[in-house]
Amino acid sequence: MTSVLQVLHDRVLETLDSIQPPERYKIVVFDAKTNKIVLSACKMFDIMDRNVTLVEMLESTRQAYTSLEAVYLLTPCSESVQRLMDDFPPDSPTGKYKAAHVLFTAPLEDRLFDKLTKSSVSKYIRTLKELFMDFTAMESRVFSLESPSSFYTLYSPSKKMELAAELDSIAKQVRRRNNIFLEILRRLTGMGVALPPSLELWFDVHLVSVIATFGDYPSIRYFRPPETQEGKRTQAMKLAMLLQSDLEAYMRSNPESAGKQQGQGTILILDRSVDVAAAIVHEFTYQAMANDLLPIEDGSKYSYEIENAQGETEKVSVVIDESDQIFMEIRHSHIVETASTLTSKFNKFVEEHESLRGDKEKAASVRNMKDQLANLPQFTDLKTKYSTHIHMAKECMKIFEKFKINEIGLVEQQLATGETVDGHLPKQVLSEMVPFLDDPVVSTMDKVRLLMLYTLCREGLRAEDRDRLFEHTKISDTNVEAIQNLTYLGVNVERGGSNPRTRRKPFYPRKRAEDEELPYDLSRYITKTKKIVEEHINGTLDVTQFPYTTEAPVDSNEARSLRKTPQATWDRKKPNVKGSRLFVFIAGGVTYSEIRAMYELCEAHGRDIIIGSTHIVTPRQFVHGLRHLVRGPTRPTAPVIPPYKPPAPTPSQRPGPPSQPSSRPGAPPNSGGRAGAPPPSPHRPVTPDYRSAPGSSGDLHIMKDAMRVVPLSMQPTYQWQFWLSLRGISLIKRLCPHFLASLLFLSPPPSSHHALPLLFGP
């Protein structure tokens, strides 16, 4: 099956390989957002292995290398465009680099394009492309647009006008005809840009980026609830219609897509209102539970404190991703299975290394494995991973027991499924819920989640009943507002009196099938997204609630004419979906329980299923978003790309001495001056971590980078430089900086015999 990580990884490297400057070596410049996109799928070594000398951040202070060309992979925003222009100022005889290959991850607005073409950077541009890479690969089957603010845009009543304007602007941006390509070529040619023959400029939105990266032309289905079938458009329907227009425009403008017919796979457009309960109920599988209860940043970065060998407490930060095989084995396991799996795997590992085990007995539980880990110093990486997951599982169980989540979870399951553990109607659920609302041990967040689920279960509450529950619970006004704001997601919050009850018909009967396997009482709720996708795979998904934007696939039973006599059930053709890729997109946030469900369906049906969303949401984040849905967040989310600040004025660059020819074949030319490049090599990657911070000793860091990247074949020439200690270099730097600069940036001499005359002059 196709992996999102692998597809994005290949796309990034193919893009870098397509840029082949005459000097062979190149510099790559990312902005803050593209850096996150690229590093979500690629390691820094993969990038450096593509004849890349240096990887830089656009927002940082950078050294000029006028002998090398730079590849800019940027976000199409005003901040990045302005910083690109600052690298090639009009009052300077040279730019920061010899030339610029500018690649944008998404379409560039006309005003920014005009600004770019009229600036001094235009004469340095050698390549200008708009790619389809504006998404982040979260897991092998999960992608994200990294846009949590879209939840407010989609559902806030105060954002309705902004939503309409945003959709209209996107539509205008995408619906450019083929003649725009000729117009851009005319502009670029007129401003003197050297255009390579393979220059391609495509225009799309985020979802088209995902689809284009996979090379598909899928049919589009979307969610349309029964009460909106009389002309009212839902968010999913608006997005589906816009995506249909975008795909058609992309196929017309992309010559490689000529002849493709729509129907190569399917993309299913849903939104968060399709299953509100999934974003509220506690999930007890390891990954979902850890992200709900523990302070994990971005779903992958976890920090905790440990006691080191000296008995001191130190903070440890780890990254949890698919490179961790232990995490891969337990991430979708129930927390009970997680503890037993960690214990058994750890015992097996200790048995295989008895010399490290000593006299320690086998670990009987998660609690006493921590001491045995201290006896495994040779396996640092594996030790860290075991230690991390043991700590996380232990912390989850501690919170699980302390705040009575076990008992709360049983009530939540009754509310979400509409039945008790025995399969009966939950007639006493209110009497079981009220004691938790009055319990000081239960957290306020869990009380709010219980009230939300109860409102969903009752399909609205009378005003007097609701006020009585709020008063009994003693929750704040912001939490009351969060519950009431469920109405903007299609939930019936209030009924009775002058407000008639507008009941939304349930998609599925609440009574579960008799043969349905549910191993744990706390995990009986099955997300509606899983049922929808499974019905699509089986060909039984209701075409009325989930229509296509165009004609259904020819082999699908939904495509038959309504005028024909219905066929017998045994004679109906099944949809031709086996083996085709299925995209599932949930606007407004996807939960970890829904992600887990897609992995289960992939394994059960052998299908290639990719799920994505505007962002990944946890129950806490969902409740927080509801609190401020009308008024907006109190503290706006910090932008990924920092605001633009004009650079400080710098003295004019001093021209360096002419470069010396190199006898070594394949060696990149070097200007030899202070602005020249350090000897590049793919043997040792130079990551952004080596970059000098603003205000630090920049020359010293550059010198250290130059020493790191010298190939083995060049070491005799610069062997004397390696004899210097860092302290000695710092001293020389302070005493005679000009002399040090001339030593560091002279190009490699033809042979080691002439090293000293070339270095110190004739």
Side-chain angles (χ1 to χ4, degrees), residues 642-657:
Y644 171 76
K645 294 182 180 179
T650 57
S652 301
Q653 293 184 348
R654 186 171 62 254

Side-chain angles (χ1 to χ4, degrees), residues 21 25 59 239 266 270 300 455 539 660 709:
Y25 295 96
E59 297 84 3
L239 181 58
T266 306
L270 310 174
S300 60
T455 303
Q660 300 291 337
V709 299

Side-chain angles (χ1 to χ4, degrees), residues 344-387:
S344 60
K345 285 180 66 65
F346 181 77
N347 285 330
K348 182 180 178 181
F349 175 77
V350 172
E351 287 178 357
E352 293 174 353
H353 304 84
E354 290 191 8
S355 60
L356 300 177
R357 178 164 60 93
D359 297 331
K360 294 283 184 179
E361 297 180 355
K362 289 184 178 181
S365 66
V366 173
R367 296 179 182 274
N368 59 5
M369 280 193 285
K370 184 177 180 181
D371 296 333
Q372 287 185 263
L373 285 171
N375 297 326
L376 307 177
Q378 289 89 338
F379 301 88
T380 305
D381 184 57
L382 192 60
K383 171 184 171 182
T384 302
K385 292 177 180 178
Y386 269 117
S387 177

